[in-house]
């Protein structure tokens, strides 16, 4: 069972709910989000009824949730959650395209990228300062300096920034640099300690799908973040590993409507890491939007041939502009805006 309380709930009111759960022999997980506080019952729920909690002050609703994932489930919250990222809304009617280079390289590259992202009509920017690379001998990212460069470049166009967190020890630095969205990469989707930590901060999180993760595992990973009190989670399908070797990963388009059914949280798609080639990005992007994705995470580089990382899949600035043009038509056809 979960007990949902409003945003201005007092500690005393929360305490009364917890007391009632404990009196019934259960424990409570208190998840204090910005919009709502959700108390999850831990233990045998059979003696619990909704009426045990609904009359208590501050309680909006109480319900038995049959799914393993609770706070993130559509069952617990019927309406789509819209996440506010520095005034940009993700998960609502407007589709958001987050674009930028795979990795932060130089100040000049980031300044140019920010300008091209803005000129293409995108409202959010991506870029990795800490890079999870398969080989320890390849470029590992610019680290803290990269965050500074990113902030400076994106600031010129008031673009909120999205960047990957790989290590809990860097969370403080991310907060100090006021990173707008924390990205958890495919390789860390089940790094539960990392998930718990980002669950404690009040920053939107993009949770990429593990390359071999099932939908259920992905939803449970999000529940780890939500259980800590951070309800601002965005799912990102970035392709999964299959027997096919022609392309980097297989974009699981089916995951989009399935997730939209199972969770109230926004779902975006990364067509760049899915296909692994720039020429595949337009087709995969169109499929994603047509299937109901709330946005895209796309790699673009001012000069892809010179990119330090993922050069093959980066769009040119012109290709990003063209992509935005074609997506507008699809958005309109499904009653959304771009
Ligand atoms: C990225 O977006 O930069 C990235 C490394 O993606 P993924 O975790 O999906 O491989
Ligand atoms: Mn990349």
């Amino acid at each position: 069972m979960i007990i949902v309380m409003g945003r201005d709930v007092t500690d005393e009111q929360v305490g009364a709910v917890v007391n009632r759960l404990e009196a019934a022999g259960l424990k409570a997980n208190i998840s204090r989000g910005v919009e709502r506080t959700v108390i999850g019952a831990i233990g045998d729920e059979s003696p619990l009824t909704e009426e045990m909690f609904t009359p208590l002050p501050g309680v909006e609703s109480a319900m038995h949730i049959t799914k393993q994932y609770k706070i993130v489930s559509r069952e617990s919250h019927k309406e789509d959650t819209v996440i506010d990222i520095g005034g940009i809304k993700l998960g609502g009617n407007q589709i958001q395209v987050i674009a930028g280079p795979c990795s932060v390289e130089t100040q000049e590259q980031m300044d140019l990228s920010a300008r091209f992202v803005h000129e293409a009509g995108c409202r959010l920017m991506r870029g990795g300062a800490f890079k999870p690379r398969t080989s320890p001998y390849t470029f590992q990212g610019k680290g803290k300096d990269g965050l500074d460069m990113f902030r400076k470049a994106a600031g010129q166009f008031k673009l909120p920034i999205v960047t990957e967190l790989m290590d809990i020890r860097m969370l403080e630095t991310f907060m100090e640099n006021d990173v707008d969205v924390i990205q958890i990469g495919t390789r860390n989707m089940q790094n539960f300690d990392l998930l718990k930590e980002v669950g404690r901060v009040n920053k939107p999180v993009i949770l990429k799908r593990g390359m071999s993760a099932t939908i259920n595992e992905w939803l449970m990973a999000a529940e780890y973040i939500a259980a800590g009190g951070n309800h601002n989670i965005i799912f990102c399908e970035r392709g999964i590993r299959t027997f096919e070797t022609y392309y980097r990963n297989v974009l699981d388009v089916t995951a989009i409507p399935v997730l939209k059914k199972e969770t109230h949280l926004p779902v975006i798609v990364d067509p760049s890491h899915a296909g692994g080639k720039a020429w595949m990005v337009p087709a995969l992007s169109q499929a994603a939007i047509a299937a109901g994705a709330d946005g895209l995470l796309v790699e673009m580089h001012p000069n892809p041939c010179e990119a330090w990382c993922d050069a093959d899949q980066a769009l040119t600035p012109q290709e990003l502009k063209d992509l935005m043009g074609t997506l507008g038509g699809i958005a309109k056809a499904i009653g959304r805006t771009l």
Side-chain angles (χ1 to χ4, degrees), residues 103 125 166 223:
S103 53
M125 185 170 173
M166 296 202 299
E223 190 73 17

Side-chain angles (χ1 to χ4, degrees), residues 35-49:
E35 297 295 330
R36 51 192 196 135
T37 290
V38 182
I39 302 175
I42 303 169
D44 174 17
E45 292 187 13
S46 51
L48 303 183
T49 63

Side-chain angles (χ1 to χ4, degrees), residues 278-301:
W279 65 265
M280 294 180 192
V281 169
L284 300 183
S285 300
Q286 290 165 22
I289 300 305
D294 298 298
L296 300 174
L297 184 69
V298 180
E299 289 189 344
M300 182 278 302
H301 192 281

Side-chain angles (χ1 to χ4, degrees), residues 32 36 42 135 149 162 214 226 240 294 307 315:
R32 263 191 186 276
R36 51 192 196 135
I42 303 169
S135 165
M149 289 180 207
V162 176
T214 64
I240 50 175
D294 298 298
L315 297 183

Side-chain angles (χ1 to χ4, degrees), residues 102-103 126 131 248 273 299 309-310 313:
C102 177
S103 53
R126 64 149 290 144
K131 296 303 301 176
R248 190 171 180 179
H273 290 87
E299 289 189 344
C309 186
D310 285 350
Q313 65 194 39

Side-chain angles (χ1 to χ4, degrees), residues 9-26:
V9 78
T10 65
D11 289 345
E12 213 181 2
Q13 290 169 336
V14 171
V17 171
V18 173
N19 285 344
R20 203 154 274 196
L21 277 173
E22 287 177 351
L26 287 94

